[in-house]
Amino acid sequence: MSFTNYLANIRNSVVSIFEGMAVTFSWMLRRPHTVQYPDKVDKGHELIKEGFRGILEVDVSLCTGCLACQRTCPIGVILVEVSKGTERYITRFDIDAAKCMYCGLCTEACPTNAIRHTKEFAYSVDDIRKLVLHYIKEPVKPYKPVKDATPDNFNAGRFVSEIVKNREKEYVEYEAPSVKIPDGGQTEKEKN
Amino acid sequence: MTLEERLNLVKRENEILLNMGPQHPSTHGVIRFIVRADGEIMVEALPVVGYLHRGIEKLAEQTPYTGFIPYTDRVDYLAAMFANHAYVMGVEKLLGIEVPKRAEYLRVIACELNRIASHLIALGSMAMDIGAFTPFLHGIRERELINDITEMLCGARLTYNYMRVGGVSKDIDDRIIKKINDFLDRFLPGFIDEFNRLITNNEILVKRCVNIATVSADEAINFGLVGPNLRASGVKWDLRKNMPYSVYPELKFEVPVGEGFRGEVGDSYDRFVVRVKEMEESARILKQAVSQLPEGEILAKVPKRIKPPKGEVYSAVESARGELGYYIISDGTENPYRVKIRTGSFSAMKAIHIKSQGCFIADLVVLIASMDIVAPEIDR
Ligand code: SF4
Ligand code: SF4
């Protein structure tokens, strides 16, 4: 290596290092891209975008009990029980939020948009069993679909927020409302 | 000193065994390298894979065709869109479905966004492994903007699950198009120039990468290297051009190849620069795709229960890490009979093994990073 080469090398190194430094310094004067979460998020900053696939919620009043979501889920997150009898009742609708991978296949399968994603994402709990969300409190009659109705997804988050808010409470063993079925409906459990 | 001379220097008795990984920040995931070294010079670095094996191929046999799409996200978490794309393309071939034009364009847009995001991480982490931390943060920052776009487009930031058999899951709207255009405006001349000034032309990085682990064109083909690693060796092979799929024939773009930018053709620095140039091309493709986006359906008419006829099919896309292919065998039921996934990172492991022989230990990090391997893609 000749002496001029040697000098050129040194010059190159110094110049390129200072160029890099200049870029870095210029960013000290520009607006940062990060937000101080969770302290400073409410200043018009859209933290979660529209259409985010967050925790699932079910509007049981819209559910037809068709079990399409349960069949579509590739990892068996959803458990729906529908009583057999003169009248059908949905007696259980559980979603294991700890297992769900938020792929969105169940929401696409649902004919009425009863099951849908919310924008909720922060729901850590101290007991993993609390993450099994039970959406049925009382047996409900399946929804009769109206022809040509447009599914409404505008109130997503109505039901899940209540459950997420309750996450501080003690874990209580869930009891499926199997005994309280009106007029002679039979749950799967009783039949067996 | 040639390779032979270096290897001759090593006496077996003097060797030491060194474990790199499975938990090591520079192995890009849980991969283990057993380094046999004599002093600073490696006799070989033997890759041990399998720490991230999740049996995705086996899971496919118990999952319906649609249900397997979320699993393909996990094949390569940095470029999940391509894994989606290759798989649904295979199933569509089996079913003989024609995908609507708009859906094809949306797929291309999603894939090219993902390619930029993946290359940003690859370049950033390569710089970080060498010791420059700042470029990584710059890469992450731009990638965050892409993540915002994909979040609006498909609802997730990493495991997209965007493609469906016969189309895509969600349509694009004006807000997203505006966001993509905003991103491209700041990305193409602005960010790339800044990135080049910040790190690509940095003399320390250049000196650290030039003439390290040079892979010649013949060797690259024999190793089975694909994607940017192959192109950096001077082989102009890009599935988007050579085996056209989707709407790539309608889009104009160049295929950057390694030219020995500062040293030999096919060294680590070439692999770095080829990725930078590929990001520019991706941005160009995006610009065209967004402006040419046709109106129409986004999902073809697909039966609810997908039951392809008996047969087998191979479908491959040019992912950020090269050819990503699915070999799907259908036996006429609702689940695939067999799914085999071919990924680029796995063949790169062989190249790392051969190319590490006679290198310095410190250069192993450069070699691994320049190959842009991703652990879940190796093991599946
Ligand atoms: S989002 Fe996916 S994983 Fe979760 S319940 Fe629905 S189908 Fe199952
Ligand atoms: S939530 Fe939807 S898909 Fe699931 S059972 Fe109810 S109506 Fe059917």
Side-chain angles (χ1 to χ4, degrees):
Chain A
M1 201 195 287
S2 69
F3 186 64
T4 35
N5 253 348
Y6 178 74
L7 283 184
N9 259 341
I10 293 179
R11 205 204 61 224
N12 271 350
S13 311
V14 172
V15 168
S16 65
I17 286 172
F18 273 99
E19 280 227 17
M21 291 289 185
V23 173
T24 310
F25 273 114
S26 76
W27 271 98
M28 281 179 72
L29 308 172
R30 287 187 243 179
R31 210 163 59 85
H33 272 251
T34 46
V35 285
Q36 296 282 335
Y37 180 83
D39 300 334
K40 293 179 188 166
V41 283
D42 282 329
K43 281 187 191 155
H45 183 86
E46 201 187 3
L47 189 65
I48 297 294
K49 303 285 183 293
E50 204 50 59
F52 176 71
R53 300 200 305 251
I55 194 169
L56 285 167
E57 71 162 8
V58 184
D59 186 348
V60 282
S61 66
L62 279 180
C63 178
T64 62
C66 64
L67 309 190
C69 50
Q70 186 180 338
R71 257 184 267 118
T72 316
C73 180
I75 47 176
V77 165
I78 302 169
L79 174 67
V80 190
E81 275 176 11
V82 181
S83 66
K84 304 260 163 56
T86 43
E87 272 192 82
R88 293 165 74 235
Y89 283 91
I90 306 169
T91 53
R92 184 160 195 171
F93 204 124
D94 289 0
I95 289 176
D96 190 347
K99 204 171 161 192
C100 177
M101 57 178 168
Y102 312 107
C103 63
L105 292 178
C106 52
T107 56
E108 278 165 37
C110 181
T112 59
N113 244 351
I115 185 164
R116 60 214 179 186
H117 288 288
T118 61
K119 283 162 108 192
E120 200 67 51
F121 65 96
Y123 48 91
S124 57
V125 290
D126 53 5
D127 189 337
I128 197 168
R129 290 173 297 181
K130 283 188 196 169
L131 286 178
V132 182
L133 307 177
H134 312 285
Y135 281 96
I136 294 270
K137 302 269 183 294
E138 303 259 294
V140 285
K141 283 194 174 179
Y143 175 74
K144 291 262 177 327
V146 189
K147 228 184 173 194
D148 298 331
T150 44
D152 105 282
N153 194 15
F154 306 122
N155 268 326
R158 253 185 307 168
F159 301 95
V160 79
S161 55
E162 193 186 316
I163 288 163
V164 170
K165 260 182 226 142
N166 287 346
R167 64 179 188 252
E168 304 284 300
K169 293 190 183 154
E170 282 289 295
Y171 174 74
V172 269
E173 197 69 47
Y174 174 72
E175 271 181 43
S178 52
V179 280
K180 287 186 277 179
I181 292 180
D183 47 73
Q186 226 182 355
T187 57
E188 297 274 345
K189 220 185 198 170
E190 285 167 352
K191 248 180 26 195
N192 296 335
Chain B
M1 205 189 296
T2 63
L3 184 72
E4 277 80 347
E5 283 173 88
R6 267 190 196 172
L7 285 174
N8 285 340
L9 285 179
V10 177
K11 292 194 192 67
R12 288 234 155 201
E13 311 89 75
N14 291 345
E15 273 172 17
I16 51 163
L17 273 188
L18 198 68
N19 248 319
M20 187 166 164
Q23 274 83 32
H24 190 285
S26 295
T27 54
H28 294 208
V30 270
I31 314 163
R32 176 175 164 218
F33 290 91
I34 300 172
V35 179
R36 276 172 53 210
D38 177 40
E40 282 293 308
I41 295 169
M42 284 183 292
V43 181
E44 62 175 357
L46 197 68
V48 184
V49 299
Y51 287 90
L52 211 57
H53 180 70
R54 292 145 298 164
I56 289 181
E57 291 175 3
K58 192 73 190 165
L59 280 168
E61 293 162 23
Q62 288 137 31
T63 323
Y65 280 94
T66 315
F68 186 60
I69 302 172
Y71 285 109
T72 62
D73 288 336
R74 276 81 180 165
V75 171
D76 176 358
Y77 51 59
L78 286 180
M81 215 57 101
F82 300 101
N84 275 194
H85 194 178
Y87 174 70
V88 294
M89 253 170 53
V91 180
E92 281 154 11
K93 270 190 207 166
L94 274 174
L95 286 165
I97 292 177
E98 180 93 10
V99 182
K101 251 294 157 40
R102 188 177 174 85
E104 290 280 22
Y105 267 92
L106 289 180
R107 284 181 180 180
V108 167
I109 290 173
C111 280
E112 294 305 324
L113 279 172
N114 202 188
R115 188 188 313 275
I116 295 178
S118 172
H119 279 351
L120 282 171
I121 290 284
L123 298 172
S125 57
M126 179 166 169
M128 188 165 72
D129 288 347
I130 288 167
F133 189 67
T134 318
F136 183 68
L137 296 179
H138 282 246
I140 285 274
R141 186 194 65 223
E142 296 306 305
R143 179 172 175 269
E144 202 60 22
L145 299 175
I146 297 176
N147 279 355
D148 283 351
I149 295 170
T150 47
E151 189 181 346
M152 289 159 83
L153 189 60
C154 55
R157 300 169 73 86
L158 200 66
T159 49
Y160 306 117
N161 190 20
Y162 181 51
M163 317 265 179
R164 293 285 179 277
V165 176
V168 293
S169 66
K170 268 191 201 167
D171 205 352
I172 202 167
D173 60 23
D174 289 344
R175 262 177 77 221
I176 306 175
I177 288 182
K178 188 176 169 296
K179 264 212 124 145
I180 294 176
N181 282 329
D182 287 352
F183 169 76
L184 290 176
D185 286 345
R186 66 173 276 146
F187 188 80
L188 196 46
F191 174 77
I192 294 274
D193 283 354
E194 196 179 278
F195 193 77
N196 285 343
R197 276 173 62 207
L198 182 68
I199 188 74
T200 316
N201 298 330
N202 185 300
E203 206 62 26
I204 300 173
L205 180 107
V206 173
K207 284 268 139 57
R208 195 74 178 73
C209 298
V210 154
N211 296 349
I212 299 291
T214 310
V215 184
S216 70
D218 278 350
E219 277 177 325
I221 292 169
N222 288 341
F223 288 146
L225 287 184
V226 283
N229 297 338
L230 177 66
R231 290 193 282 278
S233 299
V235 186
K236 206 167 187 151
W237 177 262
D238 189 323
L239 290 189
R240 291 173 292 175
K241 285 265 193 220
N242 297 73
M243 288 162 64
Y245 60 93
S246 200
V247 287
Y248 280 111
E250 295 173 19
L251 303 163
K252 280 195 211 67
F253 61 99
E254 292 291 312
V255 179
V257 289
E259 300 157 2
F261 295 101
R262 295 295 276 270
E264 298 162 7
V265 178
D267 59 4
S268 298
Y269 188 67
D270 271 12
R271 290 195 275 277
F272 190 94
V273 177
V274 161
R275 289 204 169 84
V276 176
K277 289 186 184 260
E278 254 180 42
M279 291 200 300
E280 290 177 27
E281 291 306 324
S282 288
R284 256 172 229 137
I285 295 175
L286 272 171
K287 262 195 188 138
Q288 296 170 40
V290 169
S291 62
Q292 292 174 15
L293 189 67
E295 292 296 319
E297 291 284 304
I298 57 158
L299 205 57
K301 287 257 176 302
V302 182
K304 253 216 159 104
R305 298 204 158 184
I306 293 174
K307 253 188 178 178
K310 267 187 195 165
E312 46 191 68
V313 73
Y314 177 74
S315 75
V317 299
E318 181 73 32
S319 108
R321 265 158 276 282
E323 180 174 344
L324 182 88
Y326 282 80
Y327 186 68
I328 307 168
I329 302 178
S330 157
D331 58 352
T333 57
E334 275 183 37
N335 302 355
Y337 178 74
R338 173 86 170 94
V339 172
K340 164 89 182 91
I341 310 171
R342 185 254 187 263
T343 57
S345 296
F346 187 72
S347 47
M349 294 303 271
K350 186 67 196 166
I352 290 174
H353 179 209
I354 305 284
K355 279 293 147 191
S356 64
Q357 296 171 2
C359 268
F360 285 102
I361 291 181
D363 291 341
L364 179 61
V365 170
V366 180
L367 172 57
I368 296 170
S370 75
M371 288 284 178
D372 186 22
I373 52 170
V374 164
E377 224 199 13
I378 297 164
D379 295 339
R380 267 101 66 195

